Amino acid sequence: MNEELSSVDLRSARIELRPDGVLHIDIKLDQVFEIEDSIAIIEARTKLVNGKRTPIVYTCTEFVIPSKEVREFVASEKRSELVIADAFVVNSLPQKLVANLFIKINKPVRPTKVFSNFDEACEWAKTFIPML
């Protein structure tokens, strides 16, 4: 973990490494989430955790929807190098539908689950943190 930094603010998201080891990414956009946003987040989170693998919990505004390109990239092996598991907290029916379709169609290469409650998502994500 990067001792000097526990969070990063980007145009598209706030990224925080929680004390429990879960990385929380809060998407600040209120529109379509594009691949450029996803790449910027990956670069920032990689620096924040110093290349350590972590589970991630995503939250966002109720109106943001990832583009098709982002959904394909997030499901890929390349994006998953530092990700143990993904938990998505959804706020609306359209987000829930997109998230469930993402899991069924894109078939992410790591454990992925959709939640409506942030605390439940964090508890699930923590189960993937390796015991030291």
Side-chain angles (χ1 to χ4, degrees):
M1 174 171 93
N2 187 334
E3 296 299 330
E4 296 127 23
L5 218 52
S6 64
S7 66
V8 174
D9 280 303
L10 303 174
R11 178 191 69 80
S12 58
R14 175 170 170 71
I15 306 168
E16 176 188 16
L17 183 58
R18 295 164 33 110
D20 60 11
V22 171
L23 195 63
H24 174 209
I25 299 178
D26 182 39
I27 307 297
K28 298 188 281 189
L29 301 173
D30 60 359
Q31 56 198 0
V32 175
F33 184 69
E34 299 291 347
I35 192 68
E36 296 80 18
D37 301 309
S38 190
I39 290 169
I41 288 170
I42 289 170
E43 290 172 359
R45 75 170 163 79
T46 300
K47 289 177 186 172
L48 187 64
V49 299
N50 284 330
K52 180 182 171 191
R53 295 184 73 221
T54 60
I56 301 175
V57 173
Y58 291 90
T59 56
C60 61
T61 64
E62 74 179 280
F63 301 109
V64 72
I65 300 288
S67 70
K68 180 179 186 245
E69 189 178 23
V70 168
R71 291 190 307 270
E72 290 170 354
F73 179 64
V74 168
S76 74
E77 195 70 53
K78 180 178 182 347
R79 180 263 177 189
S80 298
E81 292 169 350
L82 299 178
V83 181
I84 298 171
D86 282 320
F88 295 95
V89 180
V90 297
N91 301 306
S92 66
L93 182 59
Q95 284 178 339
K96 185 175 183 176
L97 293 172
V98 169
N100 286 327
L101 282 173
F102 164 72
I103 292 169
K104 289 180 182 168
I105 293 173
N106 297 103
K107 298 180 179 22
V109 296
R110 87 220 56 75
T112 304
K113 193 167 179 179
V114 178
F115 295 86
S116 59
N117 179 284
F118 177 75
D119 292 331
E120 288 175 12
C122 290
E123 286 303 313
W124 179 81
K126 284 194 299 191
T127 67
F128 292 93
I129 296 174
M131 296 305 228
L132 301 175

